[in-house]
Amino acid sequence: MPMKLIIVSNRLPLTVTQKNDKYKITPSAGGLTTGLHSLETKMEKHWVGWPGIHFENDIAQIRIESQFRKHQFHPVYLTPDLVENYYEGYSNSIIWPSSHYFFSYVQHKDEYWEAYKEVNQLFCEKTLEIFEPGDIIWVQDYQLMLLPGLLRKVIPNACIGYFHHIPFPSYELFRCLPERSEILKGLLGADLIAFHTHSYMRHFISAIYRILKLDCVFDEIYVENRVINVDAFPMGINYQQFHDAIQEVSIKRKADKFRENFGAGKLILSVDRLDYTKGILTRLQSFDKLLADCPQYREKVSLAMIVSPSRDSVERYDHLKEEIDKAVGSINGQYSTLGWRPVYYFYRSFKFEELAALYNIADIGLVTSYRDGMNLVAKEYVASKQGKQGVLILSEMAGAAIELHDAIIVNPNNINELKEAFVEALEMPESLQAKNLEKMQAVIAKQNVGKWAKDFVQELFLSLIHI
Ligand code: F6P
């Protein structure tokens, strides 16, 4: 039997939704599943995760599970109560806002922590069903921070890695979590704990040192008879897939059609999950400011905003959707003409083919996150460019800004700075656009998702040598 790589993440790469009696399987939103799903590895890849549905119909469950088996997906089912308290609650109403410095959005309830522990245990049991000695277990992200510790108790010699895809906040914020010690101890079940950037890694080590008072030497933590390694690996994308997409006749045709539909003006494109961390309202305010302060750009530029529905059962997200609707309506109401629409707003997910075509034609790619672990959209936009045109405006608060210095880097809280960035991008000579794209493409092509995973697994093996 070949050695297995068991990826464990909150979501499977495919999510099942139900409408009346019909079930629909769609790719899950977000960089984690998109990136890891396109990972090719020589190991037998298995995936443990939540399929996003709680079946009440056995026949449908059998049919969909047979699809999952084909992909070596192992579903963990969550009751509506667990979804409410573990996913919407502890994960997305406590850890998510704390980690993105939205401290006032944090909502505490006892049921949240109880459900978080219970679901981490369910994931542990499912992983143990398929685990065999010699396999590698790779746990992903903040929804499963207790899992490495739970697994370690049952399989003390297993090779367990953990990757944190969101920012790890500074100690001053992390210390406010009532369950801070349990969470850190859970993570320490892993042999290697990794982050996208060195600053998240430093924040984590500082929390370990101050909260658990453990010995840390540089990037090693000493716990009883174990040494745990901590490192930074910026996650990448499947570069070639995005870069070559436009060679496909069907995608090229789509790109030409989109270009025609958007008209002759320049196109700014943003693609996000609906999330208050993405700076969507500030982006709209700064675009509004551009049209107000610089009338010469009216009818010359449009903003296309793709916002994928996400976490809409969490109150904050639902409220944000209403505000976006209002802001888009207000800009379009004020500036639209018979032949020009300032903002095209799509509240739905786009297929890869459509995204690749849009990335390719967009003159400007825009990422305005207030905080973002990495932001793979920035990399997808740059990778999809063939030729000389394309400018990336990128928030300095996104992990991707560490690698993509040749973007126009902005502070997303500064509406004036964003407006100036639009002007700079709109006026940038083609020769400079081409030079910047070339430099960024070289970085993204090298640090692709395959290399990211290979580097992580290699270091995971090396970290075992301490034992
Ligand atoms: O990157 C953070 C993350 O929460 C991932 O874990 C997840 O794949 C993605 O965002 C989408 O989030 P959700 O599964 O809550 O829609």
Side-chain angles (χ1 to χ4, degrees), residues 9-12 15 28-34 50 87 91-92 96 100 140-143 165-166 196 273 275 278 309-311 317 372-374:
S9 67
N10 172 54
R11 261 187 213 278
L12 286 173
T15 292
S28 302
L32 186 165
T33 49
T34 323
W50 172 47
Y87 172 72
S91 303
N92 290 320
W96 180 270
H100 291 82
Q140 312 288 332
D141 228 356
Y142 66 99
Q143 301 93 341
H165 289 264
I166 64 173
H196 287 301
R273 276 184 317 98
D275 204 298
K278 303 288 184 186
S310 171
R311 305 177 192 170
Y317 289 74
D372 214 330
M374 167 52 70

Side-chain angles (χ1 to χ4, degrees), residues 252-266:
K252 175 77 177 79
R253 226 181 268 142
K254 270 197 174 71
D256 293 343
K257 184 93 194 101
F258 286 153
R259 193 60 276 182
E260 200 184 308
N261 291 350
F262 284 118
K266 291 214 172 181

Side-chain angles (χ1 to χ4, degrees), residues 16 21 50 83 107 137 200 206 217 223 253 258 293 306 312 322 367 382 394 431 455:
V16 186
D21 281 345
W50 172 47
V83 173
Q107 286 180 338
I137 303 176
Y200 306 152
S206 147
V217 179
V223 192
R253 226 181 268 142
F258 286 153
D293 294 358
I306 299 178
D312 44 14
E322 283 170 23
V367 174
V382 172
L394 176 59
S431 57
D455 289 352

